[in-house]
Amino acid sequence: MIIKSLSCRNFRNIEKTEIYPDGKMNVICGDNAQGKTNIIEAIWLFTGAKSFRTNKDSELLKFGEKKGEIEINYISGGIENTAKIEITDKKTAFFNGKKIGGAVSLAGKFKAFIFSPDDLSIVKAGPSVRRKFLNTAIGQLYPSYISLLKDYNRAVLQRNHIIKDFKYDGSLSVMLDVFEKELEEKGEKIVHTRKRFIKVLEEFLPEIYKGISSGKEKLEIKYNCSFEGEKLSELLKKRRSENMYTGTTDVGPHRDDLEFFINGSDVRSFGSQGQMRSVALSLKLAEGEVINKISGEYPVCLLDDVMSELDPARQNYILNHISERQSFLTCCDPTNTENLKQGKIFTVKKGDVI
Ligand SMILES: Nc1ncnc2c1ncn2[C@@H]1O[C@H](COP(=O)(O)OP(=O)(O)O)[C@@H](O)[C@H]1O
Ligand SMILES: [Mg+2]
């Protein structure tokens, strides 16, 4: 996956810009609040995933403007493609000049992974962040997974809605049967896909973690399924009498989690800050390997503001690990780029890129 050109118009603080990136390393330099992350965000949106910063499309539009657009020209599988996203109060995607629907329709056509300081939360924060990591990565590989998730989530909302009234109206039992069957059918597919993804992740993760932590520690990952070994519909039926008081559905893939263990102990509870950072970084690099293994092509690597937070050993590992792929790396301090042997340096100032 190689971006040949990127252009933005009325995107965030960028009025108009066009850049021609290097096929390998691209460093985006500039002071705070100049527009570095905005460029990373623009590239990320072509994965079809939501922005990592906002759920509101209108925030992507330059203040006071009604319409904006971002466009990339990129090579995938040896073929040159153009992807464009038009931004109004929603995002509309065009692929090779043809309108294809919402931005989510670009999923699978362009692939990238991003690592930013917030990603420490993959290890540290609650389970929803880890599910999001899985869902975003899998959605790029299997776009049908995105609609599967959407249908599943809709069925959860429908069950939640009905279950609240179940305490007054026992006849709703028939409707609950229907939704719980649907949850089972879709839920099992979701878990199956996630477990398959994790299996491939496991081929790379321990080795990458070893490299990053330059240690002898062993990292393991485990998918924690909230209905392991049980039929989801049967379990949901048993949970009805509790769920009707809370109006929730408390088992299913939307409640599952990922767990990380270093030498057998839970990283979330016992890991040091450094270990958590290494786990998060390893996960992202491993995600890149999985995407390459399954799709036959490395995703574009986006690293936002992470270099300054890493010690030199980790900086070196990451730079060596990604040196053969196209990467975009933001930083404030131009001296960070002194060792750059190949690639391009872009300087961003008030939304202008030079
Ligand atoms: N919708 C928008 N319209 C205009 N400016 C915006 C918009 N969203 C963010 N900005 C501006 O973009 C700048 C932040 O850009 P960002 O890429 O996060 O900076 P950094 O270079 O620190 O990564 C801020 O000055 C902010 O006010
Ligand atoms: Mg930034």
Side-chain angles (χ1 to χ4, degrees):
M1 205 70 43
I2 294 177
I3 300 178
K4 306 282 279 183
S5 70
L6 161 75
S7 63
C8 306
R9 206 172 50 81
N10 292 338
F11 179 80
R12 295 276 191 189
N13 70 338
I14 305 170
E15 188 184 325
K16 195 171 168 36
T17 196
E18 181 154 19
I19 63 172
Y20 298 88
D22 185 74
K24 299 214 163 86
M25 183 55 81
N26 296 279
V27 180
I28 302 169
C29 281
D31 293 339
N32 281 324
Q34 299 303 307
K36 301 183 298 295
T37 304
N38 294 344
I39 291 176
I40 297 287
E41 185 181 35
I43 297 174
W44 173 253
L45 291 175
F46 291 101
T47 63
K50 291 207 176 88
S51 163
F52 48 89
R53 295 205 287 193
T54 178
N55 280 329
K56 283 203 206 120
D57 291 340
S58 57
E59 282 180 19
L60 302 170
L61 208 51
K62 191 166 193 292
F63 298 143
E65 298 293 337
K66 292 204 166 51
K67 196 173 135 187
E69 62 183 40
I70 51 180
E71 183 172 316
I72 52 170
N73 198 275
Y74 69 102
I75 295 181
S76 166
I79 297 169
E80 200 162 322
N81 293 305
T82 321
K84 184 170 94 170
I85 300 175
E86 206 176 79
I87 304 158
T88 49
D89 52 348
K90 60 180 187 343
K91 298 195 290 288
T92 313
F94 297 80
F95 187 62
N96 292 334
K98 259 177 81 185
K99 187 170 167 174
I100 53 169
V104 69
S105 4
L106 286 169
K109 293 183 163 34
F110 173 79
K111 299 180 189 74
F113 75 88
I114 175 161
F115 187 66
S116 73
D118 286 350
D119 283 321
L120 193 58
S121 67
I122 293 185
V123 184
K124 244 183 153 170
S128 65
V129 183
R130 286 179 287 282
R131 287 192 297 267
K132 190 173 165 203
F133 161 72
L134 281 177
N135 293 340
T136 309
I138 297 171
Q140 290 194 56
L141 285 167
Y142 309 107
S144 60
Y145 176 84
I146 301 173
S147 35
L148 180 65
L149 261 185
K150 219 168 145 187
D151 292 346
Y152 172 86
N153 287 330
R154 190 182 323 115
V156 170
L157 288 179
Q158 279 162 329
R159 180 181 183 270
N160 291 350
H161 197 70
I162 299 170
I163 197 92
K164 276 188 236 156
D165 296 331
F166 185 52
K167 53 180 180 289
Y168 315 111
D169 182 358
S171 72
L172 290 173
S173 161
V174 186
M175 255 166 103
L176 281 171
D177 283 345
V178 174
F179 285 122
E180 288 168 0
K181 259 282 171 251
E182 186 183 351
L183 287 171
E184 173 172 298
E185 185 213 322
K186 306 230 150 76
E188 277 178 357
K189 278 191 199 153
I190 291 170
V191 172
H192 176 76
T193 315
R194 286 179 180 170
K195 284 185 172 170
R196 213 171 52 181
F197 175 82
I198 290 166
K199 224 175 150 103
V200 189
L201 203 63
E202 279 176 322
E203 289 175 27
F204 303 99
L205 195 58
E207 206 49 46
I208 292 177
Y209 182 78
K210 229 163 99 185
I212 287 178
S213 59
S214 20
K216 299 176 192 71
E217 293 171 351
K218 189 165 168 238
L219 173 65
E220 285 165 297
I221 180 169
K222 187 176 166 274
Y223 186 76
N224 194 342
C225 178
S226 56
F227 56 103
E228 192 68 62
E230 296 204 57
K231 279 260 163 230
L232 183 56
S233 64
E234 282 165 27
L235 193 55
L236 287 169
K237 203 164 194 162
K238 283 190 220 155
R239 306 289 309 150
R240 282 182 193 175
S241 51
E242 284 222 11
N243 291 168
M244 67 185 187
Y245 292 105
T246 53
T248 57
T249 297
D250 60 355
V251 285
H254 65 295
R255 290 295 177 98
D256 292 356
D257 199 358
L258 263 184
E259 291 174 315
F260 307 106
F261 300 92
I262 293 176
N263 294 341
S265 72
D266 188 340
V267 181
R268 238 189 123 200
S269 316
F270 303 108
S272 68
Q273 191 85 353
Q275 282 173 321
M276 292 190 196
R277 200 176 291 288
S278 297
V279 171
L281 186 52
S282 311
L283 262 183
K284 289 298 177 136
L285 293 177
E287 178 191 349
E289 295 295 338
V290 174
I291 293 182
N292 174 50
K293 178 164 178 177
I294 296 179
S295 75
E297 203 166 29
Y298 275 106
V300 169
C301 166
L302 306 171
L303 300 172
D304 192 23
D305 269 341
V306 289
M307 290 322 249
S308 57
E309 297 201 356
L310 300 174
D311 56 41
R314 286 194 188 120
Q315 279 184 4
N316 268 336
Y317 183 86
I318 197 166
L319 288 175
N320 287 327
H321 204 86
I322 61 175
S323 61
E324 287 309 306
R325 310 162 204 174
Q326 191 180 40
S327 306
F328 293 81
L329 185 158
T330 67
C331 64
C332 289
D333 185 0
T335 58
N336 279 3
T337 60
E338 273 171 3
N339 292 329
L340 188 72
K341 292 191 186 71
Q342 54 170 7
K344 284 190 183 171
I345 299 175
F346 298 94
T347 306
V348 186
K349 205 167 177 186
K350 291 190 183 150
D352 274 333
V353 187
I354 5 177

